[in-house]
């Protein structure tokens, strides 16, 4: 029996799980926050903070007996290095609002959203590394000129674990989110790096899913690593026919698909996964923020209370329909619009009906995003529902019927770290000749609650049609290319 570890370096902390390489059973765990000064999440972080929290999380002999490590890390972090391998400046992390103007500049510079979608499968946004390069070139030209090699967070951590070798690596999952690597062609676009940064820069070698990045001097195998989204998908064990709906302040829908999707509208971001497949993603701006706004309006202090209130209503919310475009919307592309509350009648003007309409509006908005993928031939037979709001009774009552398929609500776990460990077990098995390089090891699935649409399917589809009718009346043709 082998023992492997998965390391997830998120925006706030490092979490490590040590797993049985054959079954995936979690044997030990470690955790440490990043030592970052100040309140909130900074936009600039010294990568050494990630190493410090890694060392603390691994304390107490946590990694004793471990044969291989996989690294998952926050996506979109850009670590520019000079020709000597030193960081030019702190890493640019997160959805950096400073780069919003740079995103618009880059979109125009290549000829619009469609040109970017066709080039690399995604349209520049403030968070993307390619956009941060343009910001760096404009705001800090001296630092931009010194930038000789471009890494992301997991690339940098893998490089550090291996002792900073000459060879620098990444994986196709992480590379697909940069804005200068195409999941469709499997190749970098150095011209887009030059467009953003003003000159060429060294880029890490893209490894295959089961390839190892190298071995430490102590003989510890380090797998390719990947981004948090791809690692979580690997940890959940999703495959063809599965989609993941994430309920954060904003929402996202991603599914496993055998090929990259080029979407001229830019609504689909075409990412690669950590297994050799693809993860097309569609994002909505308004998910749990819709619930929080409604709770504030109704004077309900917690989302659990809003959920309880919504359960006093019935499917369809007595005719109330909320288009939840409170922050504008990405899907459909209506950046400057506002939310709409339709169907007001005397009998529907009750708190419980508005509460129910908020849950149904949020879920119908995500069902719209799901339909964008279905419309491109993506098969969805089962949906994994993630995020704290997935535990709410009103979400669980409405989601299966509105989505029209089985809904799985996994128990909270460190799925990104587990996915990184599964990748490590895969690389270890391939290196030992016991594992197929095309297929990751079969691990026990996530412990989950399974919800079926059942007899509510017809009711759910009627609610969904009511929502679509209001959306079409209010924003006709919003989903037409």
């Amino acid at each position: 029996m082998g023992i492997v570890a998965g390391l997830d370096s998120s925006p706030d902390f490092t979490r490590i799980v040590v797993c049985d390489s054959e079954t995936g059973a979690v044997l030990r765990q470690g955790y440490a926050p990043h030592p970052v000064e100040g309140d909130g999440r900074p936009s600039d972080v010294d990568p050494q903070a990630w190493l410090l929290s890694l060392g603390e999380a691994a304390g107490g002999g946590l990694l004793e007996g471990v044969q291989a490590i996989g690294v998952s890390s926050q996506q979109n972090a850009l670590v520019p290095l000079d020709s000597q391998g030193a960081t030019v400046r702190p890493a640019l992390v997160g959805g950096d609002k400073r780069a919003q103007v740079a995103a618009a500049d880059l979109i125009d510079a290549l000829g619009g959203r469609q040109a970017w979608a066709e080039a690399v499968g995604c349209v520049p946004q403030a968070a993307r590394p390619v956009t941060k390069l343009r910001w760096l070139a404009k705001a800090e030209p001296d630092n931009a000129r010194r930038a000789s090699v471009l890494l992301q967070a997991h690339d940098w951590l893998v490089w550090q674990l291996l002792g900073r070798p000459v060879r620098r690596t990444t994986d196709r999952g992480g590379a697909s989110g940069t804005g200068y690597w195409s999941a469709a062609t499997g190749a970098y676009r150095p011209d887009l790096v030059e467009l953003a940064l003003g000159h060429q820069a060294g880029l890490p070698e893209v490894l295959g899913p089961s390839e190892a990045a190298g071995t430490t001097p102590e003989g510890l195998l380090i797998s390719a690593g990947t981004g948090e989204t791809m690692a979580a998908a690997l940890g959940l064990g999703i495959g063809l026919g599965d989609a993941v709906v994430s309920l954060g302040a904003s929402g996202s829908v991603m599914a496993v698909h055998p090929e990259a999707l080029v979407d001229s509208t830019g609504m689909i971001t075409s990412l690669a996964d950590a297994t050799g497949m693809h993860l097309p993603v569609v994002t909505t701006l308004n998910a749990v923020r819709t619930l929080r706004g409604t709770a504030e309006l109704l004077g309900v202090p917690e989302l659990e209370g809003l959920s309880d209130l919504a359960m006093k209503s019935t499917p369809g919310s007595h005719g109330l329909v909320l288009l939840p475009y409170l922050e504008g919307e990405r899907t459909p592309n209506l950046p400057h619009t506002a939310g709409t509350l339709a169907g007001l009648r005397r009998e529907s003007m009750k708190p419980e009906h508005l509460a129910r309409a908020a849950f149904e509006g949020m879920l119908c908005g995500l069902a719209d995003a799901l339909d964008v993928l279905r419309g491109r031939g993506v098969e969805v037979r089962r949906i994994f529902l993630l995020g704290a709001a997935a535990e709410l009774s009103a979400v669980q009552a409405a989601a299966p019927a509105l989505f029209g398929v089985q809904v799985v609500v996994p128990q909270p776990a460190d799925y990104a770290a587990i996915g990184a460990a599964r990748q490590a077990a895969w690389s270890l098995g391939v290196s030992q000749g016991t594992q197929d390089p095309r297929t990751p090891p079969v691990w026990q699935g996530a412990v989950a609650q399974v919800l079926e649409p059942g007899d509510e399917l017809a009711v759910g589809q009627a609610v969904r049609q009511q929502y679509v009718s209001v959306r079409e009346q209010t924003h006709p043709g919003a989903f037409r290319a």
Side-chain angles (χ1 to χ4, degrees):
M1 181 184 74
I3 300 175
V4 295
L7 181 164
D8 177 42
S9 181
S10 82
D12 301 312
F13 55 79
T14 296
R15 200 179 292 278
I16 302 174
V17 296
V18 176
C19 300
D20 180 307
S21 64
E22 293 184 18
T23 67
V26 176
L27 308 175
R28 304 189 291 271
Q29 300 184 62
Y31 167 86
H34 299 318
V36 177
E37 297 178 1
D39 297 326
R41 287 182 180 174
S43 297
D44 297 325
V45 175
D46 183 347
Q48 293 296 327
W50 307 333
L51 278 184
L52 290 169
S53 65
L54 190 166
E56 186 179 341
L62 184 78
L63 299 179
E64 189 174 334
V66 165
Q67 296 170 275
I69 293 179
V71 177
S72 155
S73 190
Q74 59 181 301
Q75 287 157 240
N76 297 322
L78 177 69
V79 188
L81 305 180
D82 65 18
S83 58
Q84 304 303 309
T87 50
V88 167
R89 66 173 325 281
L92 291 152
V93 300
D96 196 333
K97 291 187 176 179
R98 295 175 298 184
Q100 286 176 336
V101 172
D105 284 349
L106 276 181
I107 291 171
D108 289 344
L110 195 65
R113 295 170 61 86
Q114 182 174 344
W116 277 95
E118 292 173 352
V120 286
C122 63
V123 178
Q125 299 157 21
R128 293 244 179 268
V130 71
T131 309
K132 289 168 177 169
L133 289 178
R134 170 57 72 103
W135 177 87
L136 191 65
K138 296 289 186 182
E140 301 176 2
D142 289 343
N143 284 336
R145 279 190 289 272
R146 289 175 55 218
S148 177
V149 175
L150 307 176
L151 300 181
Q152 294 186 85
H154 97 259
D155 311 338
W156 187 85
L157 284 165
V158 165
W159 184 58
Q160 295 290 327
L161 290 172
L162 290 172
R164 298 163 59 98
V166 173
R167 180 192 190 214
R168 299 177 179 95
T169 62
T170 189
D171 89 307
R172 51 196 296 280
S176 66
T178 59
Y180 42 82
W181 186 87
S182 167
T185 65
Y188 280 117
R189 288 286 302 265
D191 58 313
L192 298 182
V193 173
E194 187 167 357
L195 179 70
L197 186 60
H199 62 85
Q200 294 289 343
L203 302 171
E205 178 186 342
V206 181
L207 299 176
S210 62
E211 286 186 75
T215 306
T216 69
E218 299 76 29
L220 191 62
L221 183 143
I222 309 294
S223 64
T226 195
E228 272 188 323
T229 297
M230 300 79 190
L234 193 58
L236 283 166
I238 66 171
L240 287 173
D242 291 333
V244 176
V245 173
S246 297
L247 300 176
S250 55
S252 69
V253 176
M254 71 177 182
V256 180
H257 198 57
E259 58 189 27
L261 295 180
V262 176
D263 173 42
S264 61
T265 69
M267 279 194 288
I268 299 174
T269 297
S270 190
L271 300 178
D273 80 347
T275 72
M277 302 288 276
H278 294 267
L279 286 176
V281 180
V282 180
T283 304
T284 68
L285 290 182
N286 301 279
V288 175
R289 60 167 44 103
T290 304
L291 305 182
R292 295 203 183 280
T294 307
E296 289 170 10
L297 178 66
L298 295 175
V300 179
E302 300 291 339
L303 293 186
E304 288 78 4
L306 186 72
S307 174
D308 293 342
L309 188 61
M311 293 299 286
K312 295 177 181 177
S313 182
T314 54
S317 311
H318 270 244
L320 276 189
V321 174
L322 176 64
L323 300 183
Y325 306 153
L326 308 183
E327 300 278 336
E329 190 48 81
R330 276 193 64 193
T331 308
N333 186 28
L334 298 167
H336 306 300
T337 194
T340 300
L341 184 63
L344 283 170
R345 297 181 183 275
R346 177 68 187 87
E347 61 271 18
S348 66
M349 296 177 71
K350 294 182 178 179
E352 60 266 31
H353 301 323
L354 179 56
R356 178 91 187 196
F359 282 95
E360 290 178 345
M362 175 188 75
L363 292 170
C364 283
L366 288 160
D368 277 351
L370 198 61
D371 282 351
V372 171
L373 295 179
R374 284 173 164 151
R376 292 295 306 278
V378 177
E379 186 179 9
V380 178
R381 296 190 301 268
R382 180 173 63 162
I383 287 173
F384 285 75
L385 198 57
L386 304 184
E391 303 288 335
L392 296 173
S393 55
V395 169
Q396 296 191 5
L402 291 176
F403 292 147
V405 293
Q406 182 187 85
V407 170
V408 178
V409 184
Q411 283 189 1
D414 305 315
Y415 291 110
I418 291 169
R422 189 178 176 205
Q423 186 194 65
W426 192 7
S427 288
L428 181 65
V430 169
S431 74
Q432 296 173 339
T434 60
Q435 186 71 43
D436 184 343
R438 296 162 299 179
T439 309
V442 178
W443 279 11
Q444 55 200 22
V447 178
Q449 189 177 0
V450 178
L451 310 169
E452 301 283 356
D455 296 338
E456 296 295 311
L457 182 59
V459 174
Q461 298 313 293
V463 172
R464 181 81 206 290
Q465 187 53 51
Q466 180 177 265
Y467 176 93
V468 170
S469 296
V470 171
R471 189 197 69 224
E472 277 298 303
Q473 289 168 9
T474 312
H475 304 286
F479 275 102
R480 284 199 288 272

